[in-house]
Every structure is written in C-alpha cells, then in structure tokens.
Amino acid sequence: MVYDVIVIGGGAAGYFYAINLAAKNRNLKIVILEKQKTVLSKVRVSGGGRCNVTRHCFAPNELVKFYPRGAKELLPLFYGFNPAHTIEWFRERGVELKTEPDGRMFPAANTSRAIIDCFVKEAVKYNIDVMLNTEVNDIEEASGSWKVAAETKVYQAEKIFIGSGNSTKVWGILEKLGHSIVPPVPSLFSFMSGDNFVIGLAGLARDVSINLAGSKLTESGALLFTHQGVSGPAVLKLSSKAARQLAAMNYQFTINVNFLINMNFDDTVSYLKNLKNAEAVRLIRLTKPFDIPQRLWEKLMLWSEINMDTKWKDCPQKKINLLSSALTKLPLHITGKSTNKEEFVTCGGVERKEIEWKRMESKIAKNIFFGGEVIDVDALTGGFNFQAAWTTAFTAADTKNR
Ligand SMILES: Cc1cc2nc3c(=O)[nH]c(=O)nc-3n(C[C@H](O)[C@H](O)[C@H](O)COP(=O)(O)OP(=O)(O)OC[C@H]3O[C@@H](n4cnc5c(N)ncnc54)[C@H](O)[C@@H]3O)c2cc1C
C-alpha cells in the first residue's frame, strides 16, 4: 500500500499530527497504523477518564519549568503552539475546555470521550485511513522512501511520523536505523516505605519540602501518607525530577522531610526553647505547635524518644534537638515505587540531540518525524505531558517549517 505519509501509533501525538497535516494539505494520503484494536486508548483512561488535556499556563518560559527533560528544546516550540493554542484548537472543533482551581484543564463535558470523538470525527472528515490491529514490526529504507512492515502487509511512503509512545519495539527499530535511545525508566510515582514512622499515618496530608538525601534535589508541596508509604505532589515532583537517579539506586533511598517549610533546624531549636519556657508545666503532647496534626505530633515525639507524659520543663536539650530534627529533616527510608494511577509516564526515548526540533525531523534518517512520548521528553503531572504531545505533533505537521 503506497501512501504520502504513514503515522505509526494511533495515540495522542499520532492523531494530532495526522489531523493537522491533513488540514494543511487535503490531497495527502495519510494512514495511521495502530497495533491495538482501538485507537487513543491512553487518552481514554487519562486523567481518571476525564483527560487532563492541558494546563492553564500560557507563558512559554513558565510552562517549560514543568518539564524535567526537554525544557530547552520545547521552549521555542511553545511560542508556536502552547496551551492557549490547544484551547483554541479544540474550541474550533466544538470541544470547550474548562479550568479547575489548580490550573488543570479538562473537556467541559468532563469525559475523555469528548477528545476521542473529536479526533475520530476529524480523521473521517480528512479521509485519513486508520488500520487497527496493525503492529509495526520493521522500518526499512527503499530507494528514497520508507517501507513499513506490519504483520500482514507492507506500507510504503515518503514520510513517516512516529507517535508510538513508550513502545520498546519501536525504540528497537529506531535503534536499528541508527538512533540513540535514552534507556526508559518510569517517572511520576509514589514512594513505598516500610519505615515505622509512616505506620498509622495513612490519609494525613501536609505541605512539606522533601530532599533526596545526599543530593541538592528538593521539592515542596503536599505530602500524603498512604498505607504503603508517601505520595502527593511533592513526591511526584521529586520522582519525576530524580527519575534517573532513583532508578540507578533501584528505588532504595532516603528522603529528608521538612514539615516546617519555612524553618530550618536552628530556627526550630530556638522556637522550641522559647516554647519550653512559656509552656513549662504543660504536657508536650498537648501543646502541638506549628499546627501539626495530633497523630503526626505524637509520631514525631516517639521518633524523638519523648514519652507521652513528659512536660516541657522536663524535656532535656538533647530531646529538643531530636524533635527539631524530626520536624525539619526527618529521614524516611524508601524501599520501592508504586504507580500513580492518575498519570504515569516514562522518561527516556529518542535522544533529543538527534532531532531537528524546528521540524521534529530525525537528524539520522531523513523524512522520519517524531512526536509525543517516543522522544526523551516528559513532564510533571497535570496536563503537561499531553501538551508536549500536541506541541511536538503540531510542529511536525507545520509545513512552513520545511
Ligand atoms: C493512566 C494514565 C493517565 C494519564 N493521564 C494524563 C493526563 O490526564 N494528562 C496528561 O497530560 N498526560 C496523561 N498521561 C500521559 C499521556 O497519556 C501521555 O503522555 C500521552 O498519551 C503520550 O502520547 P503519545 O501519542 O506519545 O503516546 P500514546 O498516547 O501512548 O500513543 C501511542 C500509540 O502507539 C501505539 N503503538 C505502540 N507501538 C506500536 C507499533 N509497533 N505499531 C503500531 N502502533 C503502536 C500504541 O498502541 C498507542 O496507541 C497519562 C498516562 C497514563 C498511563
């Protein structure tokens, strides 16, 4: 089968590319090859079934701060296509997006179906062929064009767009064609901990800062104690920023938790010394400074070896120091990772230096274009990963960049 363009992968980037390219040139014969029996399956489950399409963050230099890998390369692209363009793109096609208080943007209809229906309708409008159950097994050059071998058929085209997400098979094919693949490791996950400290704290949340012990990597935000360990925005951010280091440590590491974001150990020692004088005859257990929830305060006291019936006046300096440590740099031993169900991405993929970002074209193999998670680009949770897929796919389809 001969086409003008073959799109590998009927996911977010593949559809966005095909539709935008077809809109610019209606004469092109485009085919999407999708290995599964349905298209856009990740979009369907994304954002808990609601699809967090993008983020209410329009300034490119602010937006890139949410991309631990790919910020530098995405910056110029975001001037051409950022969340403001995404909102407009969907609005022009009858899909309104709404903003939640934290800045995440979802279809007003509150279901990922709205996005899928929009893409499928657009693909029909532009006569884009979609082949389901069609897994690509190989790509070969054939005198100035590309041959793409699926299980039962060989497709041929001058151009290929690769939107195969985190497919190891496709990364293998790309390696064979001469590309370097940054080894994939998970990003955006919660931490498991068997530490005694977390037992009995499940459900408790507090704004903290956490530091990866032995490094300068520190993130702040809400920390949520779970039955298995810790989760919440601070943990997800650290898991994303430190994805490679944590994988190299086989997910065995220590984090230091500061429950008093704006105070350090020394500030806390002074504060508690004053409190000791002011509240001398009160039980420490009942004082609860810094608005610390009771369950957490008692855990911190236990960690500091302070008995529950101790009064401030009977608390030796050594234990005040221990309590200050517990409040500002509590070490939690992490023994593994668990997946964040809302959004889960892989970091790693096609080496960014091997892509001509103005066109999203491979520098290694002419007329091969990339978009989405196949590239070594990923972001924090909250709509940024889809935005990267839309922006890279849009740029690849933008013929003025040729
Ligand atoms: C549970 C979950 C929830 C998420 N929620 C959000 C969210 O709300 N907001 C957000 O921004 N991000 C979210 N993400 C991340 C987001 O889904 C991805 O970043 C995005 O889908 C990447 O788009 P893509 O087109 O690169 O890959 P995909 O959407 O994964 O598409 C790749 C497609 O390629 C196909 N394919 C793979 N190999 C082959 C092959 N050999 N031949 C043919 N086809 C092939 C796959 O079947 C798939 O359909 C979520 C991820 C998960 C797992």
Side-chain angles (χ1 to χ4, degrees), residues 8-14 33-36 40-42 45-47 51-52 134-136 163-165 167 169-170 341-345 371-374 383-387 389:
I8 300 178
L33 307 181
E34 168 54 52
K35 74 170 179 187
Q36 298 188 60
L40 296 159
S41 50
K42 243 196 217 173
V45 298
S46 67
C51 187
N52 180 189
T134 305
E135 179 167 24
V136 170
S164 49
S167 156
K169 177 177 257 179
V170 176
K341 290 195 197 76
E342 276 290 291
E343 191 174 327
F344 159 79
V345 293
E373 223 178 302
V374 69
F384 304 106
N385 283 299
F386 274 138
Q387 186 57 52

